[in-house]
């Protein structure tokens, strides 16, 4: 009987213990530069016309936009995390714009992916890495507005990205984050190569 009481008490105490990696919210400002190359398309002549098929000339352009980035790391493990992100334009000199919504992963190379807290019977233990470096892939759907020599155009793209960055914690919950990325996009009427650089603040969520 005493053994049974001991087992029940041990199970109750274990159930009261909690541990978790904190989720992370990051808000950043930076520059997005995208090189756009339009796809060449063949225009068929009208039925009965004597004109041969013609090929429209592909144009290229560059869109450089000061942008805001909001990233939410919602599923953290010891050395990796999953995130969703949104990028929106703030300022450009020629009216260009770049919008992106996506998801991806971060792989942390030298530390835990996030602050870790273990609580048991009124005692709490917190491990908070000071410096973290990471890399990872992401994918998303983007919308780009750009200018050619003849007109302002837009396209919907599927964007694949590789990124790397680092986070320096300067308070318990706050950190300074920097990230750089290169991406390749395939659109309805164009293909893109993008470069992104962001600097911002990260915050641990409870």
């Amino acid at each position: 009987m005493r053994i049974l009481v001991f087992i029940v008490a041990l199970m109750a105490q274990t159930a009261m213990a909690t541990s978790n990696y904190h989720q992370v919210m990051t808000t950043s400002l930076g520059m997005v530069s995208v090189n756009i190359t339009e796809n060449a398309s063949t225009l068929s002549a009208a039925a009965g016309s004597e004109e041969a098929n013609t090929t429209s000339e592909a144009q290229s352009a560059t869109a450089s936009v000061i942008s805001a980035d909001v990233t939410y790391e919602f599923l953290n493990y010891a050395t990796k995390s999953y995130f969703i992100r949104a990028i929106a334009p703030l300022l450009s000199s020629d009216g260009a714009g770049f919008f992106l919504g996506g998801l991806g992963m971060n792989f942390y190379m030298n530390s835990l992916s996030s602050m870790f807290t273990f609580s048991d019977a009124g005692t709490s233990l917190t491990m908070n890495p000071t410096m973290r470096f990471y890399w990872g892939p992401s994918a998303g759907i983007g919308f780009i507005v750009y200018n050619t020599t003849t007109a302002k155009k837009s396209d919907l793209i599927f964007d694949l990205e590789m990124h790397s960055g680092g986070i320096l914690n300067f308070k318990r919950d706050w950190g300074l984050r920097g990230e750089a990325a290169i991406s390749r996009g395939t659109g309805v009427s164009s293909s893109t190569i993008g470069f992104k650089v962001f600097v911002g603040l990260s915050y641990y969520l409870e």
Side-chain angles (χ1 to χ4, degrees), residues 108-119:
Y108 287 83
M109 296 179 284
N110 68 325
S111 68
L112 297 175
S113 70
S114 174
M115 181 168 64
F116 177 79
T117 300
F118 177 81
S119 300

Side-chain angles (χ1 to χ4, degrees), residues 12 98 116 136 167:
F98 182 80
F116 177 79
I167 306 168

Side-chain angles (χ1 to χ4, degrees), residues 13 16-17 119-123:
Q13 185 176 8
M16 293 174 61
S119 300
D120 182 19
T123 301

Side-chain angles (χ1 to χ4, degrees), residues 62-157:
T62 300
S64 297
V65 187
I66 297 175
S67 302
D69 171 51
V70 178
T71 301
Y72 172 44
E73 291 183 79
F74 61 92
L75 192 58
N76 290 74
Y77 297 96
T79 57
K80 70 178 180 180
S81 67
Y82 296 87
F83 67 85
I84 57 175
R85 78 184 314 175
I87 297 175
L90 295 179
L91 182 65
S92 68
S93 60
D94 58 357
F98 182 80
F99 302 83
L100 179 71
L103 54 87
M105 296 178 66
N106 288 331
F107 295 95
Y108 287 83
M109 296 179 284
N110 68 325
S111 68
L112 297 175
S113 70
S114 174
M115 181 168 64
F116 177 79
T117 300
F118 177 81
S119 300
D120 182 19
T123 301
S124 179
L125 172 65
T126 298
M127 290 184 287
N128 193 356
T130 301
M131 190 73 191
R132 292 173 285 159
F133 295 99
Y134 64 90
W135 68 276
S138 65
I141 302 297
F143 181 77
I144 188 169
V145 180
Y146 61 96
N147 296 287
T148 66
T149 55
T150 58
K152 175 175 284 189
K153 300 181 179 181
S154 61
D155 197 12
L156 187 69
I157 63 171

